[in-house]
Amino acid sequence: MINGHGDERLNDGKKPFLNFSNTVWYGADHTLLGEHLSRSLVDCMRHYPEPDATTLRKMIARRHGLNEESIIVTNGPTQAIYLLAEAFAEKRILIPSPAFAEYEDAARLYRSEVRLIAGNTPISEWPLDEVDVCYIATPNNPDGHIISHAELMLIIDKYPKVTFILDQCYANYTTVNKIKPSDSKSHPNLISFWSFSHAYGIPGLRIGYIVAPSQYSEAIRRLVVPWSVNSIAIEAAKYILIHPAQFTLPIRKWQRSAQELMTKLSAFNEIDVLPSTTTFFLIKLKKGTAAALKEYLATEHNMLIRDASNFAGLDASYARITSLDEASNNQLVNAIALWLEQQA
Amino acid sequence: MINGHGDERLNDGKKPFLNFSNTVWYGADHTLLGEHLSRSLVDCMRHYPEPDATTLRKMIARRHGLNEESIIVTNGPTQAIYLLAEAFAEKRILIPSPAFAEYEDAARLYRSEVRLIAGNTPISEWPLDEVDVCYIATPNNPDGHIISHAELMLIIDKYPKVTFILDQCYANYTTVNKIKPSDSKSHPNLISFWSFSHAYGIPGLRIGYIVAPSQYSEAIRRLVVPWSVNSIAIEAAKYILIHPAQFTLPIRKWQRSAQELMTKLSAFNEIDVLPSTTTFFLIKLKKGTAAALKEYLATEHNMLIRDASNFAGLDASYARITSLDEASNNQLVNAIALWLEQQA
């Protein structure tokens, strides 16, 4: 899906919006990273990157106690999804929904049969003996749904013939018992992919990685196009790995601000707020459409939210909101109040 | 092919080599581009790129009098090759060789039947009625072979059922009658792909584009992964398009230095220099291997050449050399003389 992802108005190059529309950590401090990249910039431009980002692969592998063959550096998490869809072409694929649209788009591109189920169905009822591959994001985009580590590992072990692909883009957006890259060592049917875009606030650079057990990694690696991750993205990822303290996500504070925003929005009779324990969440409008609200907020208040109607399983009444700081959140609440008055 | 492309020793991060091993314009002045990108860096990092680089697509289209649907911005020319290989999966593909290894690797990955012919075979003898797709690079990597515009257009029109894919990475490396992106308008079976890496000296950024007539462009565009070109690469390409005068390639001077280097190397009895009118060329060693010469030059003289033995149709005696400035070229000639003495 090329269009409809959110973040799009910012691309017109007009004046900045309050951006509730994507799920990237808005507060990342890029001062030191920016200085480092500025110094490296010309050198990075002038030389080919390593064809498969070998040095970075080794760094990631060492960090997680994995062997480097199990790491595939990707041009952002979306390329990870397409590589995996290609590696698992023509399979039966289960996607709990609502879910990030690219899982389904990529699976269909590679001729897989896609089966959607409601993500809030108890895992014990998922038709896992009828599929080859199952996507799970936890926390899940767009609804923030979290499946516990224990429950996940149980189901992964129970269905050894199913390949579980865990989208870990939001791994740092929760404090509860988390998936680790090294979980693939004890669960040979578990592939995960990880993002530098979200928690580190660098979606413009396009870099992430796949962790794949040995039974899959060779097949995935042969699909990797040489030099597909650029030198500056590689340099940024290395810097982040070497300087983790500069990129600590204040997750409890961000979660708290999200909870406060959810509480305030819940006070409107015309809005259902769907429960989420992470930093973004869905709202369902009882009147009007998310598209209309989005348009109003953009035009009248310089704010951008995500019309979530194009997520499978959702309809025109759903929007996704990512919490910003308290002042911005309050502006959003006030703006939505004005819109609701107009609808009355 | 992940390894074996040249440029690899530079990636160890050790002290710089005189680099005759890749085909990138070594003299590009990146001062102003670097300053511009430094200023844009943090903003580029923090925001998603346009999913398919729409603004840049429009700029390229306008520049060449094409419609924007015919332009596909790619993550470097190598991604162009893989996208095209995927769009033309399971076809019969003709590759005049020696040729860039990725044409064949990509074609085989997508289950095409590859037929290699010697690139110096007269075009009139190419088996074009037995294939679906034909790759042509002009100037060709690694041997610098050039096919004239008139001859190309004649053959493209003569075989309307064959899709001709023209690799134009080295379009600016010659002064003779050149292919233009707009040639696709009058030749509906002509696809070309273009690079910002080579003539502008920015292989680290990974950006290029495909020009595809309408009969192909939709099929190629649906294979494009959203956000596959990063924000900084897009910003650099825009800057280059807006400031062409900063990136004028002194092609006649570079060609002249290459001719002088070829003449000097021709004086060695133990070396055949294969004729080339562009800025890189092949040598064939009558004694010893290119791998041994490469190792000697790297270890003893901090110089890197390209062992060309892994190009289809070549053997262990071939190396590719890209001309640098006269002083560097003379150092190379002297170093090769020392090596040849040792072989005697």
Side-chain angles (χ1 to χ4, degrees):
Chain A
M1 185 170 89
I2 290 292
N3 296 311
H5 279 288
D7 219 28
E8 70 285 5
R9 276 172 188 271
L10 289 171
N11 290 328
D12 290 353
K14 295 178 192 161
K15 64 175 171 173
F17 284 71
L18 278 186
N19 191 358
F20 303 90
S21 82
N22 68 33
T23 52
V24 170
W25 164 229
Y26 67 91
D29 181 352
H30 294 120
T31 314
L32 295 174
L33 173 61
E35 286 171 8
H36 173 74
L37 293 181
S38 279
R39 282 191 298 272
S40 321
L41 191 61
V42 171
D43 191 60
C44 281
M45 286 197 287
R46 293 179 81 93
H47 297 112
Y48 281 90
E50 291 179 315
D52 62 348
T54 302
T55 307
L56 178 61
R57 283 174 58 210
K58 287 180 185 163
M59 287 173 70
I60 294 168
R62 205 162 43 228
R63 160 79 45 115
H64 298 296
L66 294 161
N67 67 51
E68 67 181 87
E69 282 68 34
S70 63
I71 307 294
I72 297 114
V73 174
T74 64
N75 180 14
T78 309
Q79 196 208 12
I81 294 168
Y82 279 78
L83 276 177
L84 292 168
E86 192 171 358
F88 293 95
E90 300 178 17
K91 301 288 187 195
R92 299 166 302 167
I93 300 199
L94 185 67
I95 303 178
S97 66
F100 186 48
E102 299 301 332
Y103 308 154
E104 184 177 350
D105 283 6
R108 291 196 194 281
L109 181 62
Y110 291 102
R111 304 169 301 283
S112 282
E113 185 192 312
V114 173
R115 186 156 169 187
L116 301 172
I117 51 157
N120 55 7
T121 311
I123 285 195
S124 57
E125 295 171 24
W126 292 11
L128 286 163
D129 38 17
E130 297 163 22
V131 299
D132 306 302
V133 174
C134 176
Y135 271 92
I136 298 175
T138 177
N140 184 52
N141 171 18
D143 59 7
H145 184 60
I146 290 175
I147 301 176
S148 80
H149 185 271
E151 194 174 14
L152 257 181
M153 295 305 138
L154 212 64
I155 206 83
I156 288 169
D157 288 343
K158 186 172 171 191
Y159 293 93
K161 288 184 185 161
V162 176
T163 305
F164 288 85
I165 298 180
L166 299 198
D167 178 342
Q168 289 298 287
C169 286
Y170 304 106
N172 295 321
Y173 284 32
T174 174
T175 51
V176 296
N177 50 2
K178 296 196 258 184
I179 317 301
K180 294 180 295 298
S182 57
D183 284 331
S184 282
K185 287 206 285 193
S186 43
H187 304 275
N189 56 330
L190 163 57
I191 295 173
S192 56
F193 63 91
W194 305 74
S195 163
F196 284 92
S197 302
H198 296 86
Y200 308 120
I202 53 167
L205 293 185
R206 315 311 302 141
I207 187 157
Y209 59 94
I210 295 170
V211 178
S214 53
Q215 67 161 315
Y216 308 115
S217 65
E218 173 60 28
I220 300 167
R221 282 194 293 143
R222 61 186 285 276
L223 300 173
V224 172
V225 175
W227 308 295
S228 51
V229 181
N230 96 357
S231 298
I232 294 168
I234 292 172
E235 191 62 28
K238 287 179 183 170
Y239 183 90
I240 289 168
L241 288 177
I242 294 170
H243 303 89
Q246 289 176 25
F247 298 92
T248 309
L249 184 71
I251 181 59
R252 288 176 197 282
K253 189 176 166 195
W254 195 13
Q255 282 176 310
R256 209 158 47 232
S257 84
Q259 291 304 319
E260 286 166 9
L261 177 57
M262 292 169 74
T263 304
K264 285 174 186 163
L265 291 173
S266 301
F268 296 121
N269 288 329
E270 303 87 342
I271 293 179
D272 277 340
V273 177
L274 279 67
S276 163
T277 59
T278 186
T279 59
F280 52 84
F281 55 89
L282 288 173
I283 61 172
K284 181 174 168 54
L285 304 171
K286 295 183 192 164
K287 241 187 218 176
T289 64
L293 174 58
K294 174 184 164 184
E295 180 62 26
Y296 169 82
L297 292 171
T299 314
E300 302 294 325
H301 298 276
N302 281 332
M303 294 174 184
L304 189 63
I305 62 168
R306 172 70 150 85
D307 174 1
S309 61
N310 59 3
F311 284 93
L314 302 186
D315 61 34
S317 64
Y318 287 91
R320 189 191 64 202
I321 292 171
T322 301
S323 176
L324 300 180
D325 62 279
E326 191 182 345
S328 304
N329 287 350
N330 287 341
Q331 286 186 53
L332 177 67
V333 173
N334 293 338
I336 291 179
L338 290 171
W339 183 74
L340 289 172
E341 279 173 26
Q342 291 185 7
Q343 310 304 303
Chain B
M1 185 170 89
I2 290 292
N3 295 310
H5 279 288
D7 220 29
E8 70 284 6
R9 278 174 186 270
L10 289 171
N11 290 327
D12 290 354
K14 295 177 191 160
K15 63 176 171 172
F17 284 70
L18 278 186
N19 191 359
F20 303 90
S21 82
N22 68 35
T23 52
V24 170
W25 164 229
Y26 66 91
D29 181 351
H30 294 120
T31 314
L32 294 174
L33 173 61
E35 286 171 8
H36 173 74
L37 292 181
S38 278
R39 282 191 298 273
S40 321
L41 192 61
V42 170
D43 191 60
C44 282
M45 286 198 285
R46 293 180 81 93
H47 297 112
Y48 280 89
E50 290 179 316
D52 62 347
T54 302
T55 307
L56 178 61
R57 283 174 56 211
K58 287 180 186 163
M59 287 173 70
I60 295 168
R62 204 161 44 228
R63 161 79 45 115
H64 298 297
L66 293 160
N67 67 50
E68 67 181 86
E69 282 68 34
S70 63
I71 307 293
I72 297 115
V73 174
T74 64
N75 179 14
T78 309
Q79 197 209 10
I81 294 169
Y82 278 79
L83 276 177
L84 292 168
E86 192 171 357
F88 293 95
E90 301 178 15
K91 301 288 186 195
R92 298 165 303 166
I93 300 199
L94 185 68
I95 302 178
S97 66
F100 186 48
E102 299 301 330
Y103 308 154
E104 184 177 349
D105 283 7
R108 291 195 194 282
L109 181 63
Y110 291 102
R111 304 168 301 283
S112 282
E113 186 192 311
V114 173
R115 186 156 169 187
L116 301 171
I117 51 156
N120 55 7
T121 310
I123 285 194
S124 57
E125 295 171 24
W126 292 11
L128 285 164
D129 38 17
E130 298 163 21
V131 299
D132 306 302
V133 174
C134 176
Y135 271 92
I136 297 176
T138 178
N140 185 52
N141 171 19
D143 59 7
H145 184 60
I146 289 174
I147 301 176
S148 79
H149 185 271
E151 194 174 15
L152 257 181
M153 295 304 138
L154 212 64
I155 206 82
I156 288 170
D157 288 344
K158 187 171 170 191
Y159 293 93
K161 288 184 186 163
V162 176
T163 305
F164 289 85
I165 298 180
L166 299 198
D167 178 343
Q168 289 298 286
C169 286
Y170 304 106
N172 295 320
Y173 284 32
T174 175
T175 51
V176 296
N177 49 2
K178 296 197 258 184
I179 316 301
K180 293 180 295 296
S182 56
D183 285 331
S184 282
K185 286 206 285 194
S186 43
H187 304 275
N189 56 330
L190 164 57
I191 294 173
S192 56
F193 63 91
W194 305 75
S195 164
F196 284 92
S197 302
H198 296 86
Y200 307 120
I202 53 168
L205 293 186
R206 316 310 303 140
I207 187 157
Y209 59 95
I210 296 170
V211 178
S214 53
Q215 67 161 315
Y216 307 115
S217 65
E218 173 59 28
I220 300 167
R221 282 194 293 142
R222 60 186 284 276
L223 300 173
V224 172
V225 175
W227 309 296
S228 52
V229 181
N230 95 357
S231 298
I232 294 167
I234 292 172
E235 191 61 29
K238 287 179 184 171
Y239 183 90
I240 289 168
L241 288 176
I242 295 170
H243 303 89
Q246 290 176 26
F247 298 92
T248 309
L249 184 71
I251 181 59
R252 288 176 197 282
K253 189 176 166 195
W254 194 14
Q255 282 177 311
R256 208 157 48 232
S257 84
Q259 291 303 320
E260 286 166 8
L261 176 58
M262 292 169 74
T263 304
K264 285 173 185 163
L265 292 173
S266 302
F268 297 121
N269 288 329
E270 302 87 342
I271 293 179
D272 277 340
V273 177
L274 279 67
S276 162
T277 59
T278 185
T279 59
F280 52 84
F281 55 89
L282 288 172
I283 61 172
K284 180 175 168 54
L285 304 171
K286 295 182 191 165
K287 242 188 216 173
T289 64
L293 174 58
K294 173 184 164 184
E295 179 62 25
Y296 168 82
L297 292 171
T299 314
E300 303 294 325
H301 298 276
N302 281 332
M303 293 173 184
L304 189 63
I305 62 169
R306 172 70 149 85
D307 174 1
S309 61
N310 59 3
F311 284 93
L314 302 186
D315 61 33
S317 65
Y318 286 90
R320 187 191 65 202
I321 292 171
T322 301
S323 176
L324 300 180
D325 61 279
E326 191 182 346
S328 304
N329 287 350
N330 287 340
Q331 286 186 53
L332 177 66
V333 172
N334 294 337
I336 291 179
L338 291 171
W339 182 75
L340 290 171
E341 279 173 27
Q342 291 184 8
Q343 310 303 304

